[in-house]
Amino acid sequence: MNRRLRNLTLALLVCACLPPAPTLGNPPQWHGSVKSLNLYGQEAPSGLADDYRISSNRLRLDMDWQPVASWRVEAAVDHQVLWTDPPGILPLAGNNLNRRVDLDHSWDHGEDTASRLQVDRLNLRRESGRTDVIVGRQAIGFGRILIFSPLDVIAPFAPDALDTDVRGGVDALRATYHYGLDGQLGAVAVLGSTSRYDSTLLTWSDNHAGLDLLLIGGELRGRTMVGAGLAGSLGTLGLKGEISAHRGLDVGKPGGDRSSGYTLAALEAWYRFDNGLSLILQYLHNGPGARDPSDYPAVLASAPLREGLTHLLGREYLMAAPAYELHPLVTLQGILLYNLDDGSALLRPTFDVSLGDNLALQIFWTWHHGPGPRTLAVGLPPTPRSEFGLRGDNGGLFLKWFF
């Protein structure tokens, strides 16, 4: 984005954040967070990566302002400072595929430290009767499955993501019409970094006889896609099912899809035991993945992985997320990802410790189990034999303060 447009955008953001005149209703509401993630990683098998250390520190400031009853302004800025050893092992993420306007600025502070300032929210919302319209940078998420949702197609989190408190903003226009008690009809247009990555989707959701229903369809970054979801319960057992089908694009070309069409589908069950243990179990069919580990490099280079539609290399998975309160201030939780095709697994237990009002510390360690890659000849890259066997174990501390 050129300097003049960037300065104009930042000026509009500053104006939006100024306190309103007394005749314009409530003053802006401010909140935010400070987060520090410090990670140590061990050497990956077959020397794919050395030991590493990462420290990511973020300051976020959010503003929510309702100048009059039917209008709302939302804005947020996020500043991240990233230190890595060795330098450059984890570069700062740049402008993603779901943002048309570049509102980021990055700095290099020597070889091992970099920082980025980004506008993560900047939108205007109009509420009129049964209709809501939001234009600008906003958070958009679909689906109800918790670990990994096949319907969360715009900006999904990885199933093993550590920081999922805030979904990244995308440049979009979204309209929703509410009817009855729970019914919604929606339309969303997401502006990608280029027109190739634009998306236009229609959604419908409602509740009938205790069942939450969700339909979605349209064009997702040049591909036709449709999806459906169902959520309900059997007594105290919560059940959810979701499926999405996608038409392939640029099949067989570098960076394109690997097949003419693929499907993501999942079943999830949630149950809370009498002793306080809660458990989420999920089965996932990951259509963009591969059953044979030797195909994993091609999966990594394919469009669904590059665009973040999926974060997994295999085809069939079993996932679990247990949680148990050891003490009113300490909760033990975890995540298990098991690749049913190659027998590899990721296991990460986490201690969540409350240190005070809005202050929390996570202590975690991630184990990766599975056959390591095989080196067939000197000078050739190692051949994968499992997904999670490609990674070294890692762990660290994640400190979060909300204000």
Side-chain angles (χ1 to χ4, degrees), residues 39 51 66 71 93 111 134 145 148 164 188-189 213 235 265 275 299 395:
L39 183 71
D51 289 2
Q66 188 171 9
W71 292 89
E111 293 184 353
I134 309 176
I145 284 181
F148 187 78
T164 59
V188 57
L213 309 173
N275 63 359
V299 175

Side-chain angles (χ1 to χ4, degrees), residues 359-370:
L359 179 63
L361 173 66
Q362 287 186 323
I363 306 170
F364 62 91
W365 186 264
T366 306
W367 284 283
H368 299 91
H369 170 76

Side-chain angles (χ1 to χ4, degrees), residues 227 237 356:
L237 177 66

Side-chain angles (χ1 to χ4, degrees), residues 296-319:
Y296 288 167
V299 175
L300 275 171
S302 65
L305 267 291
R306 293 188 304 103
E307 297 177 14
L309 182 63
T310 182
H311 302 271
L312 299 167
L313 304 181
R315 186 67 60 86
E316 314 294 337
Y317 290 86
L318 181 64
M319 307 179 181

Side-chain angles (χ1 to χ4, degrees), residues 148-150 156-157 159 242-244 246 258-259 261-267 282-292 295-296 299-300 302-305 308-319 338-342 387-388 391:
F148 187 78
S149 168
F157 292 111
E242 294 180 359
I243 184 171
S244 63
H246 306 254
R258 299 178 63 242
S259 62
Y262 51 87
T263 299
L264 292 96
L267 294 173
Q282 178 181 341
Y283 164 76
L284 173 69
H285 170 75
N286 181 48
R291 298 188 186 279
D292 188 341
D295 292 328
Y296 288 167
V299 175
L300 275 171
S302 65
L305 267 291
L309 182 63
T310 182
H311 302 271
L312 299 167
L313 304 181
R315 186 67 60 86
E316 314 294 337
Y317 290 86
L318 181 64
M319 307 179 181
Y338 181 68
N339 186 321
L340 294 169
D341 295 309
D342 62 31
E387 177 177 10
F388 299 114
R391 312 181 192 178

Side-chain angles (χ1 to χ4, degrees), residues 37-44 50-54 160 162 335 346-350 363-369 388 390-397:
L37 173 61
N38 299 277
L39 183 71
Y40 163 72
Q42 295 180 342
E43 179 182 2
D50 296 329
D51 289 2
Y52 60 90
R53 294 168 179 83
I54 296 172
D160 60 336
L162 285 165
I335 183 73
L346 177 153
L347 174 63
R348 185 179 67 220
T350 302
I363 306 170
F364 62 91
W365 186 264
T366 306
W367 284 283
H368 299 91
H369 170 76
F388 299 114
L390 295 170
R391 312 181 192 178
D393 298 339
N394 62 70
L397 305 174

Side-chain angles (χ1 to χ4, degrees), residues 96-99 138-142 149-157 167-172 174 188-191 197-201 203 216 219-221 225 246 307-309 311:
N96 66 36
L97 298 177
N98 296 310
R99 294 182 177 181
Q138 57 191 281
I140 295 179
F142 302 113
S149 168
L151 295 182
D152 195 7
V153 294
I154 298 298
F157 292 111
R167 187 184 295 272
V170 302
D171 293 342
R174 185 174 188 178
V188 57
V190 179
L191 300 179
Y197 298 113
D198 289 350
S199 301
T200 305
L201 299 170
T203 63
I216 182 172
E219 185 176 272
L220 178 68
R221 305 188 196 102
M225 69 83 56
H246 306 254
E307 297 177 14
L309 182 63
H311 302 271

Side-chain angles (χ1 to χ4, degrees), residues 266-281:
L267 294 173
E268 184 178 85
W270 176 89
Y271 189 78
R272 182 176 180 86
F273 296 89
D274 293 338
N275 63 359
L277 172 68
S278 65
L279 178 62
I280 300 172
L281 291 175

